[in-house]
Amino acid sequence: MNLHNRRQFLRLLGASSLGALVHGCGGGGDSGTGDSADTGDSGSGGGTTPVTPPVVNVSGHVVVVGGGMGGATVAKFLRLWGGQNLRVTLIERNPSYTSNILSNLVLNGQRTLSSLAYDYARLRDNYGVNVIQGEVMGIDPVARKVSLGDGSTQTYDRLVLAPGLEFDLMPGLTDYQTIPHAWQAGPQTALLAQQLAAMPAGGTFVMTIPAAPFRCPPGPYERACVVADYLKRNKPGAKVIVLDANPGIAAERASFETAFNTLHAGVIEYHAAATIDSIDPVTRLVQTNLGSIAASVLNPIPPQRAPRLVQDAGLVNVNGRWAGVDVLSYESTAHPGVHVIGDASATTQPKAGHIANAEAKVCADAIVRMLAGQAPDPAPVTNSACYSPITATTASWLTAIYHYDPASRTMKPYVTGEAASITSGNYEDMFPWFNNLMADSFG
Ligand SMILES: Cc1cc2nc3c(=O)[nH]c(=O)nc-3n(C[C@H](O)[C@H](O)[C@H](O)COP(=O)(O)OP(=O)(O)OC[C@H]3O[C@@H](n4cnc5c(N)ncnc54)[C@H](O)[C@@H]3O)c2cc1C
């Protein structure tokens, strides 16, 4: 398929998402809300957009750093859309990826971490991605080369960075080994679940939320709800104290206000505009603008920034924390030839897995066009959906579609929507949405 058809494909992508959104708003139990692109090749993308993947034969070598939501997707779609002569190398430090999405359900025992793990076999075997397990230690954007921890190097024509983000140390803490943030699914999530299980009846779970922007805007409020629901059933008299640095609930406000003020009233105590002066990891005392707060279990979600690798390469140029990008291609505004997608970049879109997946497709399309000597699509569309469990059987959702705005050169929200109510139907729809998104990203 030619470049013109690829453009139509990306437009269709927006149109199909809009259809899903309208259906979702109608409360009709749509399971395809999360399908941002059915590739048409394997039937695993969710089935709402029956199109054939466009293919343009270009040659070159694209190196992708980070095999999470953004990196896995961009590697797959570069191979799908770039033709046989486009070599794609994905470098990921871990043998498999553990999804953050749904990881709050590990805290109440509804999911295991292993049920959230995705390996790279399909990207390698079905799509021809060259997968290297290794740690990228440095980037030379002038020589167009990355260095790995084992001393090897990879040269590239274009580099895509999708390394997620890193966490600041909160005042008083030297690490998160005993006081976990669990904002990267893995051992800290398991530790937090253990601490919750061991918490006494009548205990206090204290969590902090950093000032926006942070990974998954509804995520902390979702966690407060899941934990409150678990405590009500397992730890009578226990409560959840939420210390939010933001002036108010930062996402899905109507749903979470309902949850905090009705469903979980008397269990969740929410404080906006909270400041954290220090945390004592031994006594679990938190010093705040509200006074000293004692926790039985403490869950500080720290401020976040693009990882050291991105900083050291000179790519961080937004608020000293994030990598600035041109959202037509996700090419860095600091270095040509380097693209940054997902949580590490600064855009007007949320730091979310679904958006990382959508950004990856726009980026893959732009790279193929650029390698073919053409300009990126001037009118990309992205979409995001997110389900938030509120109890062990109910959920809400949030969705948005973004269109490119040439005047501001940003992605502007075109349609946004939030669930009208918290229902068991939403909860059931959450799993097909998740499965579609992960199949679309990891093959
Ligand atoms: C509790 C929770 C719930 C969430 N729920 C949702 C949700 O419902 N919907 C949603 O859309 N989003 C959700 N998110 C957000 C989502 O997980 C992130 O926004 C998304 O994972 C970002 O994708 P990414 O590709 O930028 O980074 P990641 O998915 O974190 O991937 C980064 C990858 O890069 C690798 N890496 C990093 N540095 C290197 C290096 N130097 N060398 C080699 N490999 C490296 C890492 O090992 C990792 O695999 C949630 C997050 C949390 C914490």
Side-chain angles (χ1 to χ4, degrees):
M1 201 175 272
N2 61 27
L3 291 178
H4 177 69
N5 287 342
R6 180 197 308 288
R7 190 168 304 172
Q8 288 178 326
F9 172 79
L10 287 172
R11 296 249 166 76
L12 255 177
L13 185 159
S16 83
S17 305
L18 180 59
L21 172 73
V22 170
H23 193 129
C25 285
D30 173 47
S31 64
T33 311
D35 177 39
S36 52
D38 181 358
T39 63
D41 61 312
S42 64
S44 61
T48 58
T49 316
V51 292
T52 307
V55 175
V56 176
N57 285 307
V58 292
S59 58
H61 186 209
V62 181
V63 171
V64 179
V65 178
M69 299 303 297
T73 309
V74 78
K76 170 178 162 179
F77 281 85
L78 279 165
R79 288 289 302 142
L80 271 173
W81 291 343
Q84 285 306 311
N85 296 328
L86 182 60
R87 285 196 302 131
V88 178
T89 298
L90 173 65
I91 308 171
E92 162 60 45
R93 64 162 70 103
N94 295 316
S96 64
Y97 176 71
T98 304
S99 167
N100 296 312
I101 306 176
L102 298 193
S103 68
N104 280 333
L105 297 185
V106 174
L107 303 179
N108 68 358
Q110 288 189 302
R111 291 295 289 235
T112 59
L113 282 170
S114 60
S115 79
L116 300 175
Y118 294 82
D119 68 22
Y120 300 99
R122 282 176 298 283
L123 291 185
R124 189 188 56 228
D125 299 342
N126 299 352
Y127 299 96
V129 176
N130 174 33
V131 180
I132 296 177
Q133 188 187 341
E135 175 90 18
V136 173
M137 306 300 286
I139 299 162
D140 183 339
V142 177
R144 297 198 172 216
K145 189 172 72 175
V146 300
S147 315
L148 282 76
D150 64 2
S152 65
T153 58
Q154 290 280 332
T155 54
Y156 59 81
D157 296 298
R158 295 220 159 241
L159 176 67
V160 184
L161 298 178
L165 40 68
E166 69 178 29
F167 300 93
D168 289 359
L169 267 181
M170 293 189 66
L173 297 181
T174 52
D175 58 41
Y176 293 99
Q177 297 301 311
T178 57
I179 307 288
H181 55 69
W183 215 238
Q184 178 72 55
Q188 287 193 25
T189 317
L191 176 62
L192 189 59
Q194 285 162 16
Q195 292 179 347
L196 267 175
M199 186 170 145
T204 306
F205 177 84
V206 177
M207 62 183 289
T208 72
I209 303 175
F214 54 85
R215 166 177 278 177
C216 192
Y221 311 100
E222 166 188 309
R223 177 171 288 176
C225 289
V226 168
V227 169
D229 180 65
Y230 170 83
L231 295 180
K232 275 195 281 196
R233 286 181 285 110
N234 296 283
K235 311 284 173 184
K239 65 179 175 176
V240 175
I241 297 181
V242 182
L243 302 172
D244 190 348
N246 295 287
I249 293 171
E252 241 178 291
R253 191 170 187 149
S255 298
F256 289 120
E257 276 180 356
T258 301
F260 289 8
N261 297 330
T262 58
L263 287 170
H264 299 311
V267 180
I268 295 181
E269 192 182 304
Y270 175 77
H271 299 280
T275 51
I276 310 299
D277 299 324
S278 71
I279 295 173
D280 186 324
V282 178
T283 60
R284 291 192 158 85
L285 272 178
V286 187
Q287 304 303 334
T288 77
N289 59 326
L290 306 161
S292 179
I293 297 175
S296 317
V297 175
L298 186 47
N299 177 218
I301 302 175
Q304 297 152 35
R305 62 179 71 227
R308 168 72 44 202
L309 180 73
V310 182
Q311 299 167 37
D312 289 349
L315 300 167
V316 168
N317 55 6
V318 176
N319 299 332
R321 286 187 177 264
W322 310 106
V325 292
D326 173 354
V327 289
L328 290 182
S329 62
Y330 293 87
E331 190 166 25
S332 157
T333 51
H335 278 297
V338 180
H339 302 249
V340 187
I341 57 173
D343 288 355
S345 64
T347 79
T348 50
Q349 301 154 116
K351 296 188 184 302
H354 199 139
I355 276 289
N357 168 286
E359 290 179 353
K361 290 170 191 162
V362 175
C363 178
D365 178 71
I367 287 176
V368 171
R369 288 167 193 259
M370 290 160 113
L371 289 172
Q374 299 190 19
D377 180 351
V381 174
T382 57
N383 72 317
S384 181
C386 180
Y387 284 83
S388 299
I390 301 293
T391 68
T393 55
T394 62
S396 60
W397 54 257
L398 175 70
T399 190
I401 298 171
Y402 297 86
H403 283 193
Y404 183 70
D405 173 47
S408 62
R409 302 176 72 182
T410 62
M411 299 302 289
K412 281 226 162 139
Y414 174 66
V415 182
T416 57
E418 182 176 341
S421 55
I422 296 162
T423 67
S424 56
N426 293 337
Y427 185 86
E428 285 158 20
D429 287 347
M430 179 167 67
F431 299 102
W433 161 76
F434 173 72
N435 292 337
N436 287 344
L437 178 63
M438 300 315 278
D440 194 50
S441 302
F442 289 85

